[in-house]
């Protein structure tokens, strides 16, 4: 489960292009798609560039679910200049009608002569139908330009489409000696303001933030996006905070206090539980919580069942796990964490402080290997990006 499996399906007529001009314009489409990194959930991030006679005549990207897709926005930008142009799109144009119409049809109706696509739709039920529609209209189609860069835009969407699970990133903050809080539970603040801005941006690109009831009882966390900590310009910050990620609390016995701050925030708070009486359920529901009953595993709410529910019922692509060492350790042992974002502060908290993960390992043969792909400075702290290496991925 540490990496997103790549779909092996491809169309017989798909051609992998290496043309430098195609790569140039596709790179611009990918840059446009990144503008929706924090706003498109649960939809994928998509960019589109329309080119005619080596001149860009239209640009568009998807900003928010229910609003115009990248292709439609680019066509509107181009107007009559779309006739006879080449469209560069980071993801296969959709072929179905949802809250917006089919983009493949819009491209054909506009008279686009050629469509270059970075990657096919990963949904096995629909992947390829948009490309085939374009071909059936006599439009030239090429697939595979900067595919890896395009896949990196939507790792969670790809995972949900191919595995029925969201991509899980665990965010942790520690001292250099791997401690997350003092023995008393005191933890604010280990890392500095630059790291906290990075955490806000991780939250912003997530569909849901998951924590355990222990963290709520200890810190009374809100788990919200805060406009003044996002580190973005005012207009983008306003767009981002309009979509607060779903807040999910694992609370098997419904110990959530009715006075908890997390129940008083804008957006949705979901409590995943197993045991409860009707009176407690009613009280929490009246306090603003949504409740979902799930099975137990080893005495705790089953994490895999929760993730499947989030993917299937809530269309969650990427989720952020922000919690203490016990839940983080349990999920790591079960293979439920795909990515780790560890913010490390230049501090020592000592041997009595709490560890990053509660992992009852007794032998070197039980060690958990990490594949580190990036280490960088974030203010006075360091950010380590890594993936657990599982012997049997889910």
């Amino acid at each position: 489960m540490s990496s997103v499996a790549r779909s092996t399906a491809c169309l017989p007529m798909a051609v992998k292009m290496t043309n430098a001009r195609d790569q140039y314009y596709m790179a611009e489409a990918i840059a446009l798609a990144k503008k929706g990194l924090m706003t498109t959930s649960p939809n994928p991030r998509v960019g589109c560039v329309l080119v005619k006679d080596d001149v860009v005549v239209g640009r568009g990207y998807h900003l928010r679910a229910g609003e115009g897709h990248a292709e439609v926005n680019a066509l509107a930008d181009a107007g009559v200049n779309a006739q006879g142009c080449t469209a560069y799109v980071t993801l296969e144009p959709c072929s179905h009608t949802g809250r917006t119409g089919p983009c493949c049809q819009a491209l054909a109706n506009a008279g686009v002569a050629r469509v270059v696509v970075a990657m096919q739709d990963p949904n096995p039920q629909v992947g390829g139908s948009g490309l085939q529609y374009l071909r059936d209209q006599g439009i030239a189609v090429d697939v595979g330009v900067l595919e890896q860069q395009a896949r990196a835009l939507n790792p969670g969407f790809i995972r949900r489409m191919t595995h029925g699970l969201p991509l899980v990133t665990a965010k942790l903050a520690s001292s250099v000696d791997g401690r997350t809080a003092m023995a008393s539970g005191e933890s604010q603040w280990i890392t500095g303001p630059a790291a906290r801005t990075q955490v806000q941006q991780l939250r912003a690109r997530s569909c849901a933030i998951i924590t355990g009831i222990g963290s709520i009882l200890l810190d009374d966390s809100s788990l919200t996006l805060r406009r003044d900590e996002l580190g973005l310009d005012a207009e983008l910050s306003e767009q981002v905070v309009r979509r607060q990620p779903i807040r999910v609390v694992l609370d098997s016995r419904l110990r959530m206090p009715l006075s908890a701050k997390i129940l008083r925030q804008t957006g949705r708070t979901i409590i995943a539980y197993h045991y409860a009486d009707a009176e407690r359920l009613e009280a929490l529901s009246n306090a603003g919580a949504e409740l979902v009953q799930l099975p137990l595993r080893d005495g705790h709410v089953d994490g895999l069942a929760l993730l499947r529910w989030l993917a299937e019922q809530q269309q969650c692509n990427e989720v952020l796990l922000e919690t203490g060492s016990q839940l983080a350790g349990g999920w790591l042992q079960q293979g439920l964490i795909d990515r780790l974002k560890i913010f490390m502060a230049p501090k020592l908290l000592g041997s009595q402080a709490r560890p990053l993960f509660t992992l009852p390992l007794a032998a070197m043969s039980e060690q958990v290997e990490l594949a580190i792909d990036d280490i960088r400075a974030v203010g006075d702290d360091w950010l380590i990006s890594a993936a657990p290496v599982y012997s049997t991925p889910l």
Side-chain angles (χ1 to χ4, degrees), residues 166 208 210 248 305-316 319:
I210 301 174
V248 182
L306 172 64
L307 293 177
R308 292 201 185 282
W309 183 83
L310 286 173
E312 294 169 4
Q313 302 299 320
Q314 305 298 318
Q315 295 184 293
C316 287
V319 301

Side-chain angles (χ1 to χ4, degrees), residues 153-390:
L153 289 169
N154 296 296
F157 178 75
I158 295 170
R159 183 158 186 78
R160 179 164 68 89
M161 291 296 104
T162 57
H163 285 69
L165 293 167
L167 188 82
V168 179
T169 297
K171 185 280 298 181
L172 304 110
S174 82
S175 58
V176 169
D177 52 348
R179 303 294 174 164
T180 62
M182 303 308 293
S184 64
E186 180 186 359
S187 63
Q188 295 183 334
W189 294 99
I190 294 176
T191 54
R196 294 197 289 276
T197 291
Q198 289 282 306
V199 171
Q200 283 286 305
Q201 293 183 10
L202 283 173
R203 288 182 179 181
R205 66 174 291 165
S206 302
C207 300
I209 305 168
I210 301 174
T211 194
I213 185 59
S215 296
I216 299 298
L217 295 174
L218 186 65
D219 298 328
D220 197 18
S221 308
S222 298
L223 297 183
T224 55
L225 297 180
R226 295 184 285 275
R227 188 180 290 103
D228 57 340
E229 291 186 17
L230 276 165
L232 306 172
D233 63 63
E235 182 178 356
L236 181 55
S237 292
E238 185 62 33
Q239 295 281 355
V240 169
V241 298
R242 283 176 57 184
R243 185 201 65 82
Q244 290 284 338
I246 300 169
R247 299 176 293 272
V248 182
V249 183
L250 279 71
D251 184 8
S252 61
R253 295 181 179 274
L254 287 187
R255 294 186 291 154
M256 173 74 72
L258 296 178
S259 60
K261 288 193 297 186
I262 200 169
L263 299 176
R264 302 196 303 271
Q265 309 304 316
T266 58
R268 301 168 62 197
T269 297
I270 296 174
I271 302 177
Y273 75 99
H274 184 73
Y275 301 107
D277 57 43
E279 183 178 343
R280 187 66 178 159
L281 286 169
E282 183 180 5
L284 284 166
S285 179
N286 291 338
E290 300 175 41
L291 297 117
V292 56
Q293 188 173 28
L294 293 172
L296 295 181
R297 173 171 173 166
D298 299 328
H300 303 283
V301 171
D302 188 331
L304 183 58
L306 172 64
L307 293 177
R308 292 201 185 282
W309 183 83
L310 286 173
E312 294 169 4
Q313 302 299 320
Q314 305 298 318
Q315 295 184 293
C316 287
N317 298 324
E318 299 177 30
V319 301
L320 187 65
L321 182 66
E322 290 195 51
T323 189
S325 64
Q326 185 171 353
L327 179 56
W331 276 35
L332 187 65
Q333 286 185 300
Q334 293 174 50
L336 300 181
I337 296 175
D338 299 293
R339 303 287 307 160
L340 294 170
K341 295 286 186 178
I342 303 173
F343 293 88
M344 184 169 288
K347 301 172 182 177
L348 300 172
L349 297 187
S351 58
Q352 300 303 311
R354 300 184 180 187
L356 265 176
F357 297 96
T358 298
L359 289 172
L361 308 181
M364 286 295 290
S365 60
E366 299 176 296
Q367 63 187 288
V368 178
E369 182 181 348
L370 303 181
I372 296 176
D373 55 57
D374 188 66
I375 300 177
R376 66 181 59 199
V378 179
D380 294 329
D381 306 310
W382 288 91
L383 171 58
I384 301 172
S385 299
V389 178
Y390 298 118

Side-chain angles (χ1 to χ4, degrees), residues 50-111:
L50 304 180
V51 180
K52 190 173 185 177
D53 299 325
D54 271 343
V55 175
V56 175
V57 296
R59 295 179 175 87
Y61 66 95
H62 185 44
L63 176 64
R64 186 177 295 106
E67 299 183 4
H69 287 189
E71 300 93 323
V72 172
N73 291 336
L75 289 170
D77 188 38
V80 296
N81 290 320
Q83 179 76 34
C85 76
T86 295
Y88 293 88
V89 192
T90 59
L91 182 67
E92 175 185 351
C94 64
S95 58
H96 60 279
T97 299
R99 284 187 277 182
T100 60
C103 290
C104 61
Q105 191 175 94
L107 291 169
N109 291 344

